[in-house]
């Protein structure tokens, strides 16, 4: 291991050697924090320090926003096809560096390497390509009001966009936000989560290599209460997009009100998965497993409340338990057969264990798991896949987002009761319905209060399809064509063609 103050040569647990930047990425250059303060990245598999990176101060946020503001003056006027071309170059570089990006993501975050490579990094490249294609297809319209006026609209970029991403999918969440912002001609200051600061800095080297002008894309690491707060309340920021907890989302909204920023929020969830008695139970059990146990359960849309019709409840629970037993291999995330790695941090690990104790004390039945998992060298933030059955709607584990490999199973009698239970939550992000009656499936989908409904699947999201929630799960939509609306204003132009006073 060798280092200077702005980069360090590292060798990952899988043997991959690479240069890890450690500075703040402002104006296409890595720079130190103005206060020299740093945050430390911990390997959640071994609990060992990986390295430390510079942590942005208010002054550093000012510098990044100023760089983005200066760059916006020319970036907005770059020929849209050329903007798309730079994004395509960046997607190609992501493909070229996929193994390094996946290695960093696994080391820093704890997710299985096969998932980081084949799902997360592949999604980054795909999402960038998708929005690159939209760069020169953002059209206004002509509105006919009669011969005396020519009226038309222009889709204009918003300006400087602050983007705050979470720790569960660092690179993928960056792509979700960068793609539409850049395609529409905005400039960006993006803050990574303090728990997972490394992969975005390596990605920054690819942004520069792709040829983006200085100041168009800026990356900061730092504490949410410092850098995140400074971005949310910054008078030079025109829009803020945030993915994270509902509690933090509320604080972002309050801070953003200072200049009435355009805002997109994707926050928490306690998503229901409904299994009707006519469902294909084997498929329901497998998808229910995917919907909660993927990514160590650290998914905002995780279908963490499984509601099963009484007639098939016991049979489903048995099949679900067997699916977990045969599929959820907990272990070193760099091993090919690992399905579940560690929780991202000690704090998250302890939070999940705390909810397990809560479930026990409230009288729910612990059907699977319920302990820390200590068979990976005796260290790491590993938790057994955990299932509670016989759960009541008054229980804390039924109502609160756990964000771990932790699921509650309850029963219902009728379709109306299922909908009442599904909608009895402050959240409204994802949901799933399992039935072989397609009419019932569509009917229930319309009545569930959620931004997304999966019928006979769970959490197989796609960057071509809108993503977002209702109620306290967020504001606005990301992904798909709908994601572009969050990064443009429609300017109306009225041309007098003959009305004289």
């Amino acid at each position: 291991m060798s280092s200077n103050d702005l980069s360090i040569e590292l060798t990952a647990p899988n043997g991959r050697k690479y240069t890890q930047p450690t500075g703040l990425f402002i104006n296409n250059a890595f720079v130190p924090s103005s206060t020299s303060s740093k945050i430390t990245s911990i390997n959640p598999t071994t609990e060992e320090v990986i390295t430390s990176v510079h942590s942005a101060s208010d002054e550093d946020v000012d510098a990044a926003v100023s760089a983005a503001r200066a760059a916006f003056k020319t970036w907005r006027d770059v020929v849209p096809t050329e903007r798309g071309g730079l994004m395509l170059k960046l997607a190609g570089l992501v493909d070229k560096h996929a193994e390094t990006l996946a290695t960093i993501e696994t080391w820093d975050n704890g997710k299985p390497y096969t998932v980081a490579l084949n799902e997360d990094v592949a999604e980054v490249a795909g999402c960038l390509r998708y929005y690159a294609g939209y760069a020169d297809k953002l059209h206004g319209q002509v509105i006919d009001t009669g011969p005396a006026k020519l009226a038309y609209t222009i889709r204009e970029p918003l300006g400087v966009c602050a983007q705050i991403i979470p720790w569960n999918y660092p690179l993928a969440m960056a792509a979700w936000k960068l793609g539409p912002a850049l395609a529409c001609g905005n400039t960006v200051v993006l803050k990574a989560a303090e728990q997972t600061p490394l992969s975005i800095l390596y990605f920054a080297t690819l942004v520069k290599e792709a040829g983006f002008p200085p100041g168009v894309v800026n990356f900061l690491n730092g504490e949410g209460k410092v850098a995140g707060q400074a971005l949310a309340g910054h008078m030079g920021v025109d829009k803020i997009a945030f993915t994270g907890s509902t509690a933090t989302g509320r604080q972002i909204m309050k801070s953003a009100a200072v200049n009435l920023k355009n805002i997109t929020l994707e926050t928490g969830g306690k998503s229901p998965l409904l299994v009707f008695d006519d469902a294909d139970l084997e498929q329901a059990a497998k998808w229910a497993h995917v919907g909660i146990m993927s990514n160590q359960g650290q998914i905002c849309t995780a279908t963490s409340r499984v509601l099963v019709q009484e007639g098939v409840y016991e049979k489903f629970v048995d099949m679900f338990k067997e699916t977990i037993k045969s599929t959820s291999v907990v272990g070193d995330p760099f091993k090919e057969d690992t399905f579940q790695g560690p929780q991202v941090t000690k704090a998250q690990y302890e939070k999940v264990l705390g909810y397990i104790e809560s479930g026990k004390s409230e009288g729910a039945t612990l059907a699977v798991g319920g302990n820390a998992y200590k068979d990976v060298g005796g260290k790491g933030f590993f938790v057994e896949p955990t299932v509670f059955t016989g759960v009541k709607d008054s229980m804390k584990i039924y109502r609160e987002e756990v964000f771990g490999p932790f699921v509650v199973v309850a029963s219902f009698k009728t379709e109306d009761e299922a909908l009442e239970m599904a909608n009895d939550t402050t959240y409204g992000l994802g949901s799933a319905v399992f039935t072989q009656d397609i009419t019932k499936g569509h009917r229930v989908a319309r009545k569930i209060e959620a931004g997304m409904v999966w019928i006979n699947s769970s959490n197989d999201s796609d960057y071509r399809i809108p993503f977002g929630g209702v109620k306290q799960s967020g504001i606005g939509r990301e992904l798909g064509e709908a994601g572009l609306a969050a990064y443009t204003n429609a300017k109306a132009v009225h041309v007098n063609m003959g009305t004289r006073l």
Side-chain angles (χ1 to χ4, degrees), residues 281 308-321 389-390 409 411:
L281 293 185
V308 186
Q309 200 155 17
E310 278 185 347
V312 295
Y313 181 85
E314 296 296 339
K315 186 175 181 182
F316 172 84
V317 169
D318 287 343
M319 296 175 78
F320 187 42
K321 289 163 63 176
T389 58
V409 186
S411 64

CSV table of all heavy atoms in Angstrom, one decimal, residues 281 308-321 389-390 409 411:
chain,number,residue,atom,x,y,z
A,281,LEU,N,-47.6,-20.8,-5.6
A,281,LEU,CA,-46.9,-20.6,-4.3
A,281,LEU,C,-45.4,-20.8,-4.4
A,281,LEU,O,-44.6,-20.1,-3.7
A,281,LEU,CB,-47.5,-21.6,-3.2
A,281,LEU,CG,-48.9,-21.3,-2.8
A,281,LEU,CD1,-49.3,-22.2,-1.7
A,281,LEU,CD2,-49.1,-19.9,-2.4
A,308,VAL,N,-50.3,-13.1,3.5
A,308,VAL,CA,-50.7,-14.3,2.9
A,308,VAL,C,-52.1,-14.7,3.2
A,308,VAL,O,-52.5,-14.6,4.4
A,308,VAL,CB,-49.8,-15.5,3.3
A,308,VAL,CG1,-50.1,-16.7,2.5
A,308,VAL,CG2,-48.3,-15.0,3.1
A,309,GLN,N,-52.9,-15.1,2.2
A,309,GLN,CA,-54.3,-15.5,2.5
A,309,GLN,C,-54.3,-16.7,3.4
A,309,GLN,O,-53.5,-17.7,3.2
A,309,GLN,CB,-55.1,-15.7,1.2
A,309,GLN,CG,-56.6,-15.7,1.3
A,309,GLN,CD,-57.3,-15.3,0.0
A,309,GLN,OE1,-56.7,-15.4,-1.1
A,309,GLN,NE2,-58.5,-14.9,0.1
A,310,GLU,N,-55.3,-16.8,4.3
A,310,GLU,CA,-55.3,-17.8,5.3
A,310,GLU,C,-55.2,-19.2,4.8
A,310,GLU,O,-54.5,-20.1,5.4
A,310,GLU,CB,-56.6,-17.7,6.1
A,310,GLU,CG,-56.6,-16.6,7.2
A,310,GLU,CD,-57.8,-16.6,8.0
A,310,GLU,OE1,-58.8,-17.2,7.7
A,310,GLU,OE2,-57.8,-15.9,9.1
A,311,GLY,N,-55.9,-19.5,3.7
A,311,GLY,CA,-56.0,-20.9,3.2
A,311,GLY,C,-54.6,-21.5,2.8
A,311,GLY,O,-54.5,-22.7,2.7
A,312,VAL,N,-53.7,-20.6,2.4
A,312,VAL,CA,-52.4,-21.1,2.0
A,312,VAL,C,-51.2,-20.6,2.9
A,312,VAL,O,-50.1,-20.8,2.5
A,312,VAL,CB,-52.1,-20.7,0.5
A,312,VAL,CG1,-53.1,-21.3,-0.4
A,312,VAL,CG2,-52.1,-19.1,0.4
A,313,TYR,N,-51.6,-20.0,4.0
A,313,TYR,CA,-50.6,-19.4,4.9
A,313,TYR,C,-49.5,-20.4,5.3
A,313,TYR,O,-48.3,-20.1,5.1
A,313,TYR,CB,-51.3,-18.8,6.1
A,313,TYR,CG,-50.3,-18.1,7.1
A,313,TYR,CD1,-50.0,-16.8,6.9
A,313,TYR,CD2,-49.8,-18.8,8.2
A,313,TYR,CE1,-49.1,-16.1,7.7
A,313,TYR,CE2,-49.0,-18.1,9.1
A,313,TYR,CZ,-48.6,-16.8,8.8
A,313,TYR,OH,-47.8,-16.2,9.7
A,314,GLU,N,-49.9,-21.5,5.9
A,314,GLU,CA,-48.9,-22.4,6.4
A,314,GLU,C,-48.1,-23.0,5.3
A,314,GLU,O,-46.8,-23.2,5.5
A,314,GLU,CB,-49.6,-23.6,7.2
A,314,GLU,CG,-50.4,-23.1,8.4
A,314,GLU,CD,-49.5,-22.5,9.5
A,314,GLU,OE1,-48.2,-22.8,9.5
A,314,GLU,OE2,-49.9,-21.8,10.4
A,315,LYS,N,-48.7,-23.4,4.2
A,315,LYS,CA,-48.0,-24.0,3.1
A,315,LYS,C,-47.0,-23.0,2.5
A,315,LYS,O,-45.8,-23.3,2.2
A,315,LYS,CB,-48.9,-24.4,2.0
A,315,LYS,CG,-48.3,-25.1,0.8
A,315,LYS,CD,-49.3,-25.7,-0.2
A,315,LYS,CE,-48.6,-26.4,-1.3
A,315,LYS,NZ,-49.6,-26.9,-2.3
A,316,PHE,N,-47.4,-21.7,2.4
A,316,PHE,CA,-46.5,-20.7,1.9
A,316,PHE,C,-45.3,-20.5,2.8
A,316,PHE,O,-44.1,-20.4,2.4
A,316,PHE,CB,-47.2,-19.3,1.7
A,316,PHE,CG,-46.2,-18.2,1.4
A,316,PHE,CD1,-45.8,-18.0,0.1
A,316,PHE,CD2,-45.7,-17.4,2.4
A,316,PHE,CE1,-44.8,-17.0,-0.2
A,316,PHE,CE2,-44.8,-16.4,2.1
A,316,PHE,CZ,-44.3,-16.2,0.8
A,317,VAL,N,-45.6,-20.4,4.1
A,317,VAL,CA,-44.5,-20.2,5.1
A,317,VAL,C,-43.5,-21.3,5.0
A,317,VAL,O,-42.2,-21.1,5.0
A,317,VAL,CB,-45.1,-20.0,6.5
A,317,VAL,CG1,-43.9,-20.1,7.6
A,317,VAL,CG2,-45.8,-18.7,6.7
A,318,ASP,N,-43.9,-22.5,4.9
A,318,ASP,CA,-43.0,-23.7,4.8
A,318,ASP,C,-42.1,-23.6,3.5
A,318,ASP,O,-40.9,-23.8,3.6
A,318,ASP,CB,-43.8,-25.0,4.8
A,318,ASP,CG,-44.4,-25.4,6.1
A,318,ASP,OD1,-43.9,-24.8,7.1
A,318,ASP,OD2,-45.3,-26.2,6.2
A,319,MET,N,-42.7,-23.2,2.4
A,319,MET,CA,-42.0,-23.1,1.1
A,319,MET,C,-41.0,-21.9,1.2
A,319,MET,O,-39.9,-22.0,0.7
A,319,MET,CB,-43.0,-22.9,0.0
A,319,MET,CG,-43.9,-24.1,-0.2
A,319,MET,SD,-45.1,-23.9,-1.5
A,319,MET,CE,-44.1,-24.1,-3.0
A,320,PHE,N,-41.4,-20.8,1.8
A,320,PHE,CA,-40.6,-19.6,2.0
A,320,PHE,C,-39.4,-19.9,2.8
A,320,PHE,O,-38.2,-19.6,2.5
A,320,PHE,CB,-41.4,-18.5,2.6
A,320,PHE,CG,-40.7,-17.1,2.7
A,320,PHE,CD1,-40.0,-16.7,1.6
A,320,PHE,CD2,-40.9,-16.4,3.8
A,320,PHE,CE1,-39.4,-15.4,1.7
A,320,PHE,CE2,-40.3,-15.1,3.9
A,320,PHE,CZ,-39.5,-14.6,2.9
A,321,LYS,N,-39.6,-20.6,3.9
A,321,LYS,CA,-38.5,-21.0,4.8
A,321,LYS,C,-37.5,-21.9,4.1
A,321,LYS,O,-36.3,-21.8,4.2
A,321,LYS,CB,-39.0,-21.7,6.1
A,321,LYS,CG,-39.7,-20.8,7.0
A,321,LYS,CD,-40.6,-21.6,8.0
A,321,LYS,CE,-39.8,-22.5,8.9
A,321,LYS,NZ,-40.7,-23.1,9.9
A,389,THR,N,-43.2,-14.8,12.0
A,389,THR,CA,-44.6,-15.1,11.6
A,389,THR,C,-45.5,-14.7,12.7
A,389,THR,O,-45.1,-14.3,13.8
A,389,THR,CB,-44.7,-16.6,11.2
A,389,THR,OG1,-44.4,-17.4,12.4
A,389,THR,CG2,-43.8,-16.9,10.0
A,390,GLY,N,-46.8,-14.8,12.5
A,390,GLY,CA,-47.8,-14.5,13.5
A,390,GLY,C,-47.7,-13.0,13.9
A,390,GLY,O,-47.9,-12.7,15.1
A,409,VAL,N,-44.4,-11.9,8.4
A,409,VAL,CA,-45.4,-12.6,7.6
A,409,VAL,C,-46.7,-12.5,8.4
A,409,VAL,O,-46.7,-12.9,9.6
A,409,VAL,CB,-45.0,-14.0,7.3
A,409,VAL,CG1,-46.1,-14.7,6.4
A,409,VAL,CG2,-43.6,-14.1,6.6
A,411,SER,N,-51.3,-12.8,8.1
A,411,SER,CA,-52.3,-13.5,7.2
A,411,SER,C,-53.5,-12.5,7.0
A,411,SER,O,-53.8,-11.6,7.8
A,411,SER,CB,-52.8,-14.8,7.9
A,411,SER,OG,-53.4,-14.5,9.1
